[in-house]
Amino acid sequence: MHHDSFFYLALVYLTAAVIAVPIAKRLGLGSVLGYLMAGMLIGPHLLGLIGEEGQDVMHFAEFGVVMMLFVIGLELEPSLLWRMRSAILGLGGLQVAGTAIIIGGLAFLAGLSWQASAALGMILSLSSTAIVLQTLNEKGLIKTTSGQSSFAVLLFQDIAVIPMLAIFPLLAIQTAGTDSASSQTWVGSLPAWLQTVVVLGAVGLIIAGGRFIIRPAFRFIAQTRLLELFTAAALLLVIAIAVLMTTVGLSPALGTFLAGVVLANSEYRHELISDIEPFKGLLLGLFFISVGASINFSLIVADPGSILILVLGLMLVKGLVLFVLGKVYKIGTDQNLIFSFALSQVGEFAFVLFSFALQNGIFDAELTGKMVAVVALSMAMTPLIMTLNEKVLLPKFGTEKTNDREADEIQEDNPVIIAGFDRFGNTVGRLLKANGIGTTVLDNDSDRVDTLRKLGLKVYYGDATRHELLHAAGADKAKLMIIAYEESEKNENLVHLVKKHFPHLQILVRTSDRTESYRLIEQGVDHVYRETLDTALRMGVDAMRMLGIRGFHAQRAANMFRKHDETVLKNLSAVRKDKKVYFSMAKSAIAELEDLIQADMADTDLERDAGWDSDSLREEVLARFQTPPKPEEPKVTS
Amino acid sequence: MPRILILFAHPRLEKSRINLQLIKDITTIPGVTFRDLYEEYPDFDVDIKAEQQLLLEHDVIVFHHPFYWYSAPPLIKQWIDLVLAHGWAYGSAGRMLEGKFWLQIITSGGPESSYQATGGARFTIREYLIPFEQTARLCKMTFLPPLAIQGTHRMTSEELGIHSRRYQKLISGLADGSIRSEELTPFSYTKDYFESVEGK
């Protein structure tokens, strides 16, 4: 076997990824774990398909992390940061500081040097953005209190990585005896205070460069209209910063993150993100595979007990800190449980920081190997404990439990059930309530549920796609089922369930776009409501009026257009089945727009109301007078 | 058999004691198509083509509505404006409604005695309905004497029952051919027809 041939390595890595990741996703474990498991499988400790060269691949793949930070920087809109400032700084700051101090303290008591303890505390305080956001997204929790709080904490952690990367060399310099890596650069030979000055100088350079050099350069490149050139330029930017940073002995990740933030407000933001994204994803995948491959099973096998205790202890500490903070920030109990469990693992940045710390001589290889295994295991446990929380803890301590008394007396004879009570559902609900129509509301944001309960609404917490919950909500006696979740998948599942178990219910479904509407129409749903249609038409009416078209005409034109559009939606839904086979998603969207515009042109009645239009009457009256009138002086008198 | 189309218009039907009772047994008469216009077009967006198609399929067009401000509720006017189009319903080329009958069923709060030259309303129902009569004529339709159910403010349930039965009798009679439209035309009001028949 040509173990060192590039193609052989590519074959092994890609095969492992293509097989392991889909399986992991299917099992609900998420892609990061899939990559890790792929790595473990092909690594020297199991199948041995790759050997020590995995380390080189890992160094190469670390560049994916650099790119990830660039993208994170780009996505950090200053306005978003500002809006969430109290949650980010308060909740996030306290979480990182609290966890770092407790874990660092424990490590110090366990006999590590204070530098190693501090570094360990900082590294382990981080959580996995990839795993948490993905898990919360899949469970439809991202918009709930727990989701938003998690997001704020993760955001703070992402930012906190930057100062950590800057601090680590300082920690290492104190133990200069073991340090050989950082002295290779000229910065490494400088005294600590001067290094800090260099850090600040480099930061300033990147900010100024982003403002005054990069943007005009991108404008110049964009004018060539060559897409691949823009991609090349984006890659060049990231690599150039990385090289520059490495030359001065600083973290490339820090540099690209800053460049990202500087460019976050630029007009090229979205292009940059979409250009870098595939490289980032691929390299990160590669990185996780190499981490998996580097997990030393002999370390675990040699001492499984202590590793397990470390993993559980670590997650317990992290979870407790989060839970206490959640209490301080008045998050409801079950949202708090979700929040605490979701963030209790250690994140992918730990792998980067561990290898960085190893290079800086803060940790020795054995501790690093052990901790990498601990981190990977904690990540692997996350989906498991999230499920455990959902199935065992929430039913015991959550809001759901508190409705047992009401469920006993069968008072739920409201004619309407609303599933999903965010900004969309609550407008529907308020309208119905204002008109004295009883509604039973199902929602999966327990804080919102508690608030609504206090206001006297019949609200059930929980996943409406569960048959028992629908039953408890009175689906047997209700007349209408309003399905208004934001996530289309949830809506479709619920439609399926209602059609199966409660066929007497009339179903009204919110959809976000035409594609979703088509799918629902195919499922036999007659009442499909695209959430943006009416607003867009109202805007169109106002636009027409601002152009001087009279209000009544504009309003009727919009009414007519809506009816026409709904007919077209139903017609195209029938045609679509054949088409979607041939077109990719993006292409079919364009093809569909074409169909739509053609349908608009074909329907000549879109502008009519002949009853108020006296043109034809005038013609007839004119025709009755024998002498054809001259254009200048009409002969008609009454 | 003549086919009957009832175009019913009441913006507040759910609160109308009289009209709820009146339409109760009308909707199920065979050969009758009952259309609740305010239910059909809450946004006044009258579907012109559908309405014209319905007109073609029927022979007697009944407009049933309360007598608001000495006229019909606005949706009836909207319907007339849009559906009775030039070149279709009237005009030299508009002959689609030729030979059909126009019948109005009206409920008014004020009593019959008020709708006289000497009464509070100063004019008769027929006088107030002249615009409708002329509309029917322009569309080459025959305007039948209206059925006016008056004095509803103080109407007892027995009286309402009488009116209800007359209304039913009229519609089912027209539908099964036991009352021919031509029999009605000599009278000013359909009520007079019933009194002459019942008096016999």
Side-chain angles (χ1 to χ4, degrees):
Chain A
M1 291 253 225
H2 323 282
H3 260 231
D4 37 2
S5 119
F6 170 76
F7 283 112
Y8 171 76
L9 279 182
L11 182 73
V12 170
Y13 276 88
L14 291 175
T15 311
V18 168
I19 294 174
V21 174
I23 293 179
K25 285 211 85 166
R26 195 48 70 79
L27 294 175
L29 298 175
S31 59
V32 175
L33 278 175
Y35 284 121
L36 284 174
M37 288 189 309
M40 288 185 219
L41 268 179
I42 61 173
H45 305 287
L46 278 182
L47 294 180
L49 293 176
I50 52 167
E52 288 309 310
E53 72 275 8
Q55 288 297 324
D56 302 332
V57 174
M58 185 155 149
H59 285 309
F60 173 67
E62 263 171 30
F63 199 63
V65 178
V66 172
M67 287 180 162
M68 178 168 163
L69 274 167
F70 182 61
V71 173
I72 288 175
L74 279 174
E75 280 169 350
L76 282 186
E77 280 171 88
S79 60
L80 179 74
L81 287 180
W82 186 246
R83 232 181 310 129
M84 299 181 67
R85 62 192 181 278
S86 71
I88 295 173
L89 288 178
L91 205 53
L94 287 172
Q95 186 272 334
V96 171
T99 315
I101 288 169
I102 292 175
I103 292 179
L106 289 173
F108 189 64
L109 289 178
L112 289 180
S113 70
W114 71 265
Q115 291 94 341
S117 306
L120 198 61
M122 285 189 273
I123 293 174
L124 298 183
S125 68
L126 304 175
S127 310
S128 169
T129 308
I131 289 184
V132 176
L133 288 189
Q134 198 185 344
T135 315
L136 292 177
N137 239 335
E138 280 164 7
K139 292 189 187 293
L141 293 167
I142 202 78
K143 292 273 161 71
T144 65
T145 318
S146 59
Q148 291 296 300
S149 309
S150 304
F151 186 70
V153 170
L154 290 169
L155 212 54
F156 183 86
Q157 293 179 350
D158 286 343
I159 301 168
V161 171
I162 308 305
M164 287 184 193
L165 286 169
I167 290 170
F168 275 23
L170 297 179
L171 292 176
I173 282 153
Q174 305 300 323
T175 57
T178 55
D179 177 25
S180 58
S182 65
S183 57
Q184 287 162 0
T185 61
W186 63 268
V187 179
S189 57
L190 297 173
W193 67 270
L194 204 56
Q195 283 197 18
T196 313
V197 172
V198 170
V199 170
L200 295 176
V203 168
L205 183 74
I206 286 177
I207 292 175
R211 277 276 150 80
F212 304 112
I213 302 170
I214 300 176
R215 285 173 73 169
F218 272 127
R219 202 164 303 138
F220 175 71
I221 293 161
Q223 276 161 5
T224 66
R225 296 184 183 283
L226 292 171
L227 284 180
E228 72 278 9
L229 198 64
F230 201 88
T231 311
L235 275 178
L236 174 66
L237 171 71
V238 177
I239 293 174
I241 292 171
V243 169
L244 174 79
M245 288 279 119
T246 323
T247 326
V248 298
L250 285 179
S251 147
L254 167 70
T256 49
F257 174 79
L258 275 175
V261 174
V262 172
L263 292 170
N265 269 339
S266 85
E267 59 272 44
Y268 302 111
R269 177 168 162 242
H270 295 290
E271 271 115 316
L272 283 172
I273 292 178
S274 60
D275 278 343
I276 295 291
E277 196 79 49
F279 294 103
K280 181 203 93 178
L282 213 52
L283 283 175
L284 272 184
L286 200 56
F287 176 70
F288 290 135
I289 293 182
S290 357
V291 170
S294 72
I295 290 178
N296 192 342
F297 278 90
S298 55
L299 275 176
I300 302 177
V301 175
D303 194 3
S306 77
I307 296 277
L308 198 67
I309 287 170
L310 274 176
V311 172
L312 293 179
L314 177 66
M315 294 182 86
L316 190 69
V317 169
K318 293 196 73 170
L320 278 177
V321 170
L322 288 160
F323 193 77
V324 170
L325 285 175
K327 278 266 176 240
V328 173
Y329 275 77
K330 299 201 167 57
I331 303 176
T333 304
D334 43 358
Q335 289 287 305
N336 199 5
L337 281 173
I338 296 174
F339 169 68
S340 311
F341 279 111
L343 292 170
S344 67
Q345 80 295 97
V346 183
E348 52 273 14
F349 269 119
F351 302 131
V352 184
L353 291 173
F354 274 128
S355 64
F356 191 65
L358 186 65
Q359 286 164 31
N360 279 298
I362 304 175
F363 302 140
D364 56 37
E366 197 202 326
L367 181 65
T368 309
K370 229 179 204 174
M371 290 319 293
V372 166
V374 169
V375 170
L377 281 174
S378 80
M379 288 167 87
M381 304 268 291
T382 307
L384 299 178
I385 61 163
M386 289 287 284
T387 316
L388 194 74
N389 175 46
E390 215 168 83
K391 295 269 148 74
V392 181
L393 286 178
L394 283 187
K396 277 216 171 119
F397 305 108
T399 308
E400 224 173 342
K401 184 68 180 168
T402 59
N403 62 31
D404 52 357
R405 212 177 306 143
E406 285 160 82
D408 288 340
E409 38 177 298
I410 306 160
Q411 270 297 332
E412 307 311 326
D413 45 8
N414 284 324
V416 182
I417 299 176
I418 301 179
F421 213 64
D422 64 2
R423 65 205 149 81
F424 189 96
N426 82 43
T427 309
V428 182
R430 277 168 47 214
L431 173 67
L432 295 181
K433 194 170 164 62
N435 285 278
I437 297 165
T439 56
T440 301
V441 177
L442 307 175
D443 198 81
N444 56 352
D445 181 337
S446 49
D447 281 4
R448 191 155 58 202
V449 168
D450 288 340
T451 314
L452 293 170
R453 279 249 178 92
K454 275 177 209 144
L455 294 173
L457 282 164
K458 285 268 181 221
V459 186
Y460 281 78
Y461 167 77
D463 184 0
T465 49
R466 278 173 37 224
H467 176 250
E468 320 88 75
L469 190 70
L470 277 180
H471 191 81
D476 291 314
K477 290 188 177 171
K479 293 188 179 122
L480 302 182
M481 177 84 206
I482 292 176
I483 301 177
Y485 285 113
E486 192 170 11
E487 302 85 5
S488 63
E489 230 170 273
K490 230 179 201 169
N491 288 340
E492 280 178 50
N493 289 344
L494 193 49
V495 165
H496 188 74
L497 188 84
V498 171
K499 284 201 163 248
K500 192 170 162 202
H501 295 290
F502 306 98
H504 69 284
L505 285 175
Q506 286 213 67
I507 304 176
L508 298 90
V509 194
R510 159 201 190 178
T511 66
S512 65
D513 57 21
R514 302 183 78 89
T515 323
E516 264 177 63
S517 310
Y518 288 144
R519 280 205 302 270
L520 288 162
I521 291 171
E522 277 165 26
Q523 283 189 37
V525 179
D526 293 328
H527 305 282
V528 168
Y529 300 85
R530 280 168 287 159
E531 60 185 19
T532 49
L533 178 69
D534 291 76
T535 319
L537 286 175
R538 260 182 43 218
M539 195 192 222
V541 167
D542 285 348
M544 284 166 85
R545 299 186 68 173
M546 283 174 195
L547 292 173
I549 292 167
R550 284 172 53 76
F552 187 65
H553 177 86
Q555 182 59 51
R556 287 186 58 82
N559 285 352
M560 234 166 269
F561 189 88
R562 203 192 67 223
K563 279 186 185 161
H564 153 83
D565 193 67
E566 267 157 18
T567 317
V568 171
L569 181 81
K570 299 227 154 125
N571 293 345
L572 284 187
S573 158
V575 181
R576 193 184 76 108
K577 270 187 183 165
D578 320 323
K579 248 185 195 166
K580 71 179 169 192
V581 184
Y582 300 107
F583 291 111
S584 72
M585 284 305 280
K587 263 199 182 154
S588 72
I590 294 166
E592 179 184 290
L593 187 64
E594 217 177 295
D595 288 347
L596 281 179
I597 291 168
Q598 271 168 7
D600 293 350
M601 290 192 296
D603 192 346
T604 48
D605 276 353
L606 277 180
E607 207 238 328
R608 52 166 185 197
D609 276 352
W612 289 311
D613 203 336
S614 57
D615 285 355
S616 74
L617 194 57
R618 242 184 93 237
E619 274 165 35
E620 185 176 326
V621 172
L622 291 176
R624 208 176 297 156
F625 289 80
Q626 290 304 320
T627 38
K630 283 171 195 163
E632 271 77 30
E633 32 168 342
K635 292 267 164 68
V636 194
T637 45
S638 49
Chain B
M1 292 294 145
R3 295 152 303 173
I4 320 279
L5 173 65
I6 300 180
L7 299 170
F8 174 75
H10 197 308
R12 267 298 207 181
L13 176 62
E14 62 274 33
K15 292 215 168 170
S16 169
R17 172 179 70 108
I18 304 292
N19 280 288
L20 279 173
Q21 172 66 32
L22 285 175
I23 64 169
K24 208 173 77 155
D25 298 315
I26 292 295
T27 54
T28 50
I29 298 173
V32 171
T33 307
F34 183 87
R35 297 267 289 173
D36 183 346
L37 291 183
Y38 273 94
E39 180 67 19
E40 207 70 49
Y41 302 118
D43 50 5
F44 272 51
D45 220 350
V46 176
D47 185 337
I48 298 163
K49 284 200 177 131
E51 291 301 317
Q52 289 180 342
Q53 185 56 36
L54 278 169
L55 288 177
L56 293 178
E57 289 163 7
H58 294 84
D59 306 295
V60 181
I61 314 303
V62 179
F63 295 88
H64 175 174
H65 59 85
F67 204 50
Y68 286 163
W69 284 108
Y70 312 107
S71 186
L75 184 49
I76 292 272
K77 183 62 164 62
Q78 176 96 342
W79 185 98
I80 289 174
D81 279 4
L82 292 173
V83 178
L84 303 182
H86 176 248
W88 188 84
Y90 72 104
S92 57
R95 324 187 67 87
M96 305 304 275
L97 302 176
E98 197 166 6
K100 294 185 190 291
F101 296 89
W102 177 302
L103 172 62
Q104 255 162 305
I105 316 290
I106 285 159
T107 56
S108 78
E112 196 187 338
S113 58
S114 169
Y115 286 82
Q116 309 291 342
T118 51
R122 295 177 54 234
F123 299 97
T124 65
I125 291 284
R126 280 304 289 255
E127 283 168 322
Y128 281 120
L129 290 183
I130 282 172
F132 295 100
E133 190 173 344
Q134 177 55 20
T135 300
R137 191 186 165 82
L138 195 66
C139 296
K140 303 162 187 76
M141 294 171 74
T142 307
F143 187 80
L144 295 175
L147 177 65
I149 297 159
Q150 296 189 275
T152 57
H153 291 326
R154 308 173 61 183
M155 191 173 277
T156 63
S157 15
E158 291 83 60
E159 288 167 324
L160 179 56
I162 294 170
H163 287 293
S164 231
R165 277 191 295 282
R166 274 189 186 163
Y167 184 19
Q168 266 180 66
K169 213 167 168 184
L170 174 64
I171 298 299
S172 55
L174 286 169
D176 63 22
S178 61
I179 302 177
R180 285 180 302 113
S181 302
E182 292 76 10
E183 287 176 61
L184 299 173
T185 41
F187 298 92
S188 291
Y189 296 95
T190 301
K191 183 173 149 253
D192 300 340
Y193 161 80
F194 277 114
E195 277 168 5
S196 80
V197 179
E198 285 157 7
K200 270 179 201 165

